[in-house]
Amino acid sequence: METRTLAVVSAGLSVPSSTRLLADRLTDATVTALAERGVEVRPEVVELRDHARDLADHLVTGFPKAALRPTLDTVAGADALIAVTPIFSASYSGLFKTFVDVLDREALAGTPVLLGATAGSARHQLALDHALRPLFAYLHATVVPTGVFAAAEDWGASGASRELGDRITRAAGELADLVAGRPATGRATDPFADPTPFETLLRGA
Amino acid sequence: MQFGVFSVSDITPDPTTGRTPTEAERLQAVLRIAEKTEEVGLDVFALGEHHNPPFFSSSPTTTLAWIAARTQRLQLSTATTLITTNDPVKIAEDYAMLQHLAGGRVDLTLGRGNTGPVYPWFGQDIRQGIPLAIENYALLRRLWDEEIVDWEGKFRTPLQGFTSTPRPLDGVAPFVWHGSIRSPEIAEQAAYYGDGFFHNHIFWPADHTRRMVDFYRRRFEHYGHGDADQAIVGLGGQVFVRKNSQDAVREFRPYFDEAPVYGHGPSLEDFARETPLTVGSPQQVIDRTLGFREYVGDYQRQLFLVDHAGLPLKTVLEQLDMLGEEVVPVLRQEFAARKPAHVPDAPTHASLVAARDGKVEVTV
C-alpha cells in the first residue's frame, strides 16, 4: 500500500474541544475510507492553540519562528487537509484565519480539503458554506462537496448523532476518492534549485 | 574586509522618554553618525531611501555629498537605492555626480523597495517590481558604460542619442551591490553582471541569507566571473553593545519592545535567537559576527544597524565608540586571519580603475 500524508488542522480553543472531537472523527473516517481504496495515510494533527503566540509573532515579524516552520511545512506538503474551526461571530475563528494568512499563497493550491465547523447552535451552520468555502476557493484548494457542521445538539440526541455520523462518512468518502484518484504530492519546487537564467529575465522585461 | 553602519533614517519616538525627535534633529543626528563612523575608524556609511514618513531620507545623494565633503576616507553607500521607482537616468546622473564630489568614495546598493504606495506615487506597479529592477538596471549599466545611448524598453520613455552627465569618474562607474531578502531573480542579476550581492541580514532568519548568498555564489561562478568563493558579498547586522551583556539587554529592551517592524511581537530573546540581532558584550558581538562567515563564506562588507527604533544620538555615538574601539579591530584581525588569499576585497574606485587599466593592457 502506498502512504500519503493527511494534515489535520483543528482551531478549537478549549480542552477538551468539540472542534478537535469532530476533527478526530473526520480523520478516523478518512483513514478508513482510504484503506478501503488501498491507500495508507499518515495523519498529522495540528492544534492551532499550541501555536497561538508564534502565529501572532509571525503576523508582526513576517516570518515563522523555527518552532512554527515544521507545522507550516506539514500543511503545505500534505496530500490532503482536514480543516476544522469553531464558528465565532458568524465566521471561522480569528486564530484559524491567522493560520491561513501566514500560509504561503500557493500552499494549498490543488490540495483536496475537507471542511468542518462546530458551534453551540445549528443556526451557525451556513458559515461553513458562506465563509469557509470562499476562503478555500481563494486558496485554489479542491474542497469536497460535503462540509461537516456539528452543533452542540449533534453530540447528544441519538437520531441527530446518527445523522452527523452519516455526514462524516460521506465527506470522508469524498475526500478519499479525491486522494486515491491522484498521484502523491511532489515536494514543493525550490526556486534556488532551478533558476530562471538571467537572459530569460532580461527578455521578459 | 570593510566594516561600517547603515541607517534607514527612521524618525521614531524614544520609548523611554516618549519624545519624538524633529525631522531636523534626526537629520542632523544621522549626519553626526556618519562623521563619527569615520572618526572611530570604520570604513563605510550607507543610507536608505524612503519616500514616506516616518523616514527623512528621500534624497540620499544630497546627504552623502555633504558627508563626503566632511570626511576623508569614508566609503559612502546606500541601503538601498530604489531601482524600481527612480528613473534610471536620474540614478545614473545623481550617483556619477556624487562619485565626482566624493573623489570616487561611492558605491550603491540597489533594492526594489517594499512600501506599496511608493510605486503608484512614482507611476509604477509593485507587481512589476522584478521586471522594473531588471530593465532599469540594464539601462543604468549602459548609461554609465556607454557614451551615447539609444534605448527603448517597456517602462520608460525611449532615449535617442542620450549621454548621461557627468560621465563616471575616470570612466569607471560606481560599484553596484544588489540587495534582496529572498528573491532569487535579484541574486541572479547580481551574479550575471558580476556585481556585489548585499543581504540586509536583519529582522529575518539567517537561513534566508544563507540560501540567497549560496545561490548568488553558484551563479556568479556559472557566469564566469570567478570561483563561487570569490563573489562579492555584503551583510547587514543589528547590534546593541555594552561592556556587560546584562546592561545591554536592560537598556535595549524598551527600544526592542516598541520598535517598528518587530515590536509588540516576539521577545528580545526569541528575536535574538531567530535573527542575527545581537544584544550583549563586545565579545558576544565579535563571536556572533564571526559566525556569519560559517553560513555565507568569506565576505567583503559588514554593515551594522545601530541607530533605529528611537535610540538617542548619544547612545548611538557610544555604540560607534565601542564598535570602533573594541569590536571591529578584533573582527578585522580575525576575519583577515581566516580569509584565503584568492578571496578578493570589496572593490573600491581605485581597484576598479586598476582592474580596468589592467584589462586594457591585456587586450592591447
Side-chain angles (χ1 to χ4, degrees), chain B residues 105-131:
Chain B
R105 289 185 283 131
V106 173
D107 54 65
L108 63 164
T109 304
L110 300 178
R112 301 202 302 284
N114 59 4
T115 308
V118 172
Y119 286 79
W121 286 334
F122 287 79
Q124 302 297 353
D125 177 350
I126 195 168
R127 292 166 300 179
Q128 295 294 314
I130 298 265

Side-chain angles (χ1 to χ4, degrees), chain A residues 46-62:
Chain A
V46 175
E47 275 284 2
L48 294 188
R49 189 186 202 285
D50 296 345
H51 302 287
R53 191 180 293 255
D54 287 347
L55 287 168
D57 285 350
H58 191 329
L59 289 185
V60 172
T61 63

Side-chain angles (χ1 to χ4, degrees), chain B residues 48-283:
Chain B
E49 176 184 335
H50 294 273
H51 298 276
N52 54 319
F55 306 96
F56 74 75
S57 181
S58 56
S59 179
T61 53
T62 310
T63 317
L64 294 175
W66 186 95
I67 297 167
R70 307 268 297 198
T71 53
Q72 303 300 318
R73 298 176 297 98
L74 194 64
Q75 181 76 12
L76 305 168
S77 188
T78 56
T80 60
T81 296
L82 302 178
I83 187 63
T84 47
T85 46
N86 283 306
D87 182 356
V89 169
K90 199 72 177 94
I91 296 179
E93 293 173 342
D94 284 348
Y95 284 87
M97 190 71 211
L98 177 64
Q99 190 196 25
H100 279 269
L101 296 177
R105 289 185 283 131
V106 173
D107 54 65
L108 63 164
T109 304
L110 300 178
R112 301 202 302 284
N114 59 4
T115 308
V118 172
Y119 286 79
W121 286 334
F122 287 79
Q124 302 297 353
D125 177 350
I126 195 168
R127 292 166 300 179
Q128 295 294 314
I130 298 265
L132 278 163
I134 287 166
E135 178 177 304
N136 285 351
Y137 184 61
L139 172 56
L140 176 60
R141 226 21 301 156
R142 288 193 55 199
L143 291 167
W144 277 338
D145 295 344
E146 299 171 29
E147 191 84 20
I148 298 168
V149 173
D150 292 342
W151 182 87
E152 189 168 348
K154 230 169 93 177
F155 296 112
R156 180 194 196 287
T157 197
L159 297 167
Q160 293 296 330
F162 181 79
T163 298
S164 175
T165 56
R167 301 304 301 145
L169 180 65
D170 303 319
V172 170
F175 185 70
V176 172
W177 305 76
H178 301 262
S180 174
I181 294 169
R182 54 181 173 179
S183 300
E185 295 91 341
I186 299 303
E188 174 78 6
Q189 180 184 35
Y192 175 81
Y193 289 101
D195 292 341
F197 179 73
F198 186 86
H199 199 283
N200 87 349
H201 199 228
I202 53 172
F203 308 159
W204 291 82
D207 196 53
H208 285 86
T209 309
R210 181 188 61 74
R211 287 165 59 102
M212 286 289 278
V213 171
D214 174 67
F215 176 74
Y216 159 68
R217 287 188 184 283
R218 278 191 279 126
R219 300 300 287 172
F220 181 92
E221 182 170 304
H222 168 83
Y223 285 115
H225 300 295
D227 292 340
D229 65 357
Q230 295 173 311
I232 306 297
V233 173
L235 295 188
Q238 188 187 4
V239 296
F240 189 85
V241 58
R242 287 296 184 202
K243 286 258 183 261
N244 300 310
S245 60
Q246 293 90 337
D247 293 339
V249 169
R250 191 180 315 114
E251 187 177 344
F252 189 62
R253 190 183 301 281
Y255 295 93
F256 178 89
D257 286 345
E258 298 288 324
V261 185
Y262 49 74
H264 303 283
S267 68
L268 191 160
E269 287 75 9
D270 277 353
F271 205 67
R273 189 172 53 245
E274 302 273 347
T275 79
L277 168 67
T278 309
V279 181
S281 66
Q283 191 58 46

Side-chain angles (χ1 to χ4, degrees), chain A residues 7-27:
Chain A
V8 181
V9 171
S10 173
L13 291 178
S14 53
V15 182
S17 126
S18 58
T19 300
R20 176 60 188 270
L21 188 60
L22 178 60
D24 286 346
R25 297 227 14 218
L26 290 168
T27 304

